[in-house]
Amino acid sequence: MDGSKSEAQSIKDKLLLNGVPEEIINIEDRSTNSKENVLYSKQIFDFSNISSLLFVSKSHAAGRQYRTLRKYLPNNIEMGLYSYETIINGIYINQFNWMLYPESRSLIFGEYLRILYYSHKGDIECVKGIVNGLESYIERIFEG
């Protein structure tokens, strides 16, 4: 998982409270982005011996994290997601209310653009298709 050490500790504490044994929790806390997170995680854990993986991610970043894991981990691993909400101005943002607030709409659109950008760079699993109407906007981003 990427993020601050306090965020990683908070997630670990929640996993422990929900009965996950400490010896199966692996935390990577050196990374500054999703790609580094997976590459550093491969240094501390042997993924070749597992068949399933539960990854923890902020809800709005889960798609990018999933695509990053798919790019760098063995294809035979089944992946599950434990997501948590982002808080913006004291409001918990989730899949049911993100469209109600300008800040969260901007966050979601930015995440979509990051997925396209990192897919184009080859850092994450390729995205199949772009939302209709955004092609010229995306092309300008990649050119500039």
Side-chain angles (χ1 to χ4, degrees):
M1 71 185 67
D2 59 6
S4 69
K5 289 183 182 184
S6 61
E7 184 177 27
Q9 186 60 50
S10 175
I11 292 168
K12 180 179 179 180
D13 292 344
K14 287 179 185 179
L15 291 170
L16 292 169
L17 282 172
N18 285 288
V20 177
E22 185 167 16
E23 61 271 11
I24 69 167
I25 299 172
N26 291 281
I27 295 178
E28 181 288 302
D29 59 6
R30 297 184 308 157
S31 61
T32 60
N33 60 54
S34 297
K35 179 181 175 181
E36 284 181 0
N37 176 238
V38 177
L39 296 177
Y40 290 155
S41 293
K42 289 175 70 173
Q43 293 175 5
I44 63 173
F45 186 80
D46 180 8
F47 289 92
S48 66
N49 296 320
I50 64 168
S51 60
S52 63
L53 172 75
L54 176 67
F55 69 98
V56 179
S57 176
K58 292 178 182 174
S59 298
H60 72 274
R64 182 166 43 97
Q65 185 66 31
Y66 174 81
R67 285 174 174 79
T68 306
L69 291 165
R70 275 286 155 239
K71 173 79 177 187
Y72 296 101
L73 295 184
N75 290 333
N76 65 310
I77 298 175
E78 290 191 39
M79 298 199 193
L81 166 66
Y82 177 86
S83 65
Y84 58 99
E85 298 172 329
T86 299
I87 303 171
I88 300 176
N89 299 327
I91 299 169
Y92 286 82
I93 304 300
N94 58 45
Q95 75 255 29
F96 303 112
N97 70 357
W98 67 268
M99 69 294 291
L100 301 176
Y101 309 100
E103 299 89 353
S104 53
R105 287 193 305 268
S106 176
L107 182 70
I108 299 302
F109 184 61
E111 190 59 35
Y112 176 70
L113 294 177
R114 280 186 284 284
I115 288 172
L116 294 177
Y117 176 74
Y118 291 119
S119 176
H120 182 76
K121 279 182 60 178
D123 288 350
I124 66 175
E125 182 181 65
C126 190
V127 173
K128 297 175 177 91
I130 296 175
V131 172
N132 289 334
L134 291 177
E135 295 88 354
S136 62
Y137 181 77
I138 301 303
E139 288 172 11
R140 284 196 308 266
I141 291 173
F142 293 142
E143 291 171 0

